[in-house]
Amino acid sequence: MIGQQTLDSVMKELSKFRRFSHHPDCKYHHNHLVRINGHPICLGCFCIYSGMLFGILLLLVFDWWAKHWLLFSFFGLCSFSLPFILVSTQIRSIKMLGRFSLGVGIIVYLGTTLYYPPLTPELLLFRLGAVIVFSIAYNGALIYKKGRNNPC
């Protein structure tokens, strides 16, 4: 019954993960989790999505983004770059700040570069460049993440 053994091993592997957490609830990943009512949730995802929500609220509430979009696109670029600078730290509060900053930065950078600039040919090239910069950063993060060790 090779099929049953394979299914059993897959189910055993999947049982390490709890709902809303793509990290196993084990001693190796305790610093990757936040616990809400005792339920482990991925620290990175929780902070990134919270930051994205905050970034959306910032873009919707304040109208000065439209006037100073270039300045705030730079702020967004710096904000989503912060976790790459802090990547090796395991200090929980700094990890949370970095992930929250990443979420805010993604929304502010993409929102201020794609939505607010006037529709001129030069700024269409700027938009394309902004998407290329974001794609490079995103793919660089994925490549870096694949190269990291997973102790479980």
Side-chain angles (χ1 to χ4, degrees):
M1 294 195 67
I2 293 175
Q4 184 63 35
Q5 290 173 341
T6 304
L7 181 61
D8 289 344
S9 64
V10 168
M11 293 309 289
K12 182 179 178 187
E13 199 62 29
L14 287 175
S15 68
K16 291 181 186 178
F17 301 94
R18 301 254 184 105
R19 189 182 313 179
F20 304 116
S21 180
H22 58 94
H23 295 293
D25 190 11
C26 68
K27 66 181 180 180
Y28 298 110
H29 286 91
H30 67 91
N31 60 342
H32 294 270
L33 302 170
V34 291
R35 296 189 182 275
I36 298 177
N37 290 333
H39 186 80
I41 297 174
C42 174
L43 177 141
C45 294
F46 177 76
C47 292
I48 288 171
Y49 293 139
S50 297
M52 291 174 105
L53 181 62
F54 185 72
I56 289 169
L57 292 173
L58 283 176
L59 289 178
L60 293 175
V61 170
F62 298 107
D63 63 350
W64 35 260
W65 297 99
K67 296 175 193 150
H68 307 289
W69 60 268
L70 189 58
L71 174 67
F72 289 108
S73 65
F74 181 72
F75 165 76
L77 181 64
C78 292
S79 293
F80 89 69
S81 301
L82 184 62
F84 298 107
I85 297 166
L86 302 173
V87 74
S88 63
T89 186
Q90 292 300 316
I91 301 169
R92 186 178 201 74
S93 57
I94 293 175
K95 284 175 70 168
M96 292 178 81
L97 174 66
R99 299 325 186 269
F100 184 82
S101 171
L102 177 62
V104 171
I106 288 169
I107 295 299
V108 169
Y109 178 72
L110 292 177
T112 56
T113 56
L114 299 179
Y115 181 71
Y116 286 114
L119 290 173
T120 63
E122 298 84 18
L123 291 177
L124 288 175
L125 286 174
F126 175 79
R127 284 180 171 91
L128 177 63
V131 169
I132 290 170
V133 167
F134 182 80
S135 297
I136 289 170
Y138 178 78
N139 287 313
L142 291 178
I143 290 168
Y144 176 79
K145 188 175 180 179
K146 282 185 181 180
R148 306 233 15 216
N149 290 336
N150 185 357
C152 289

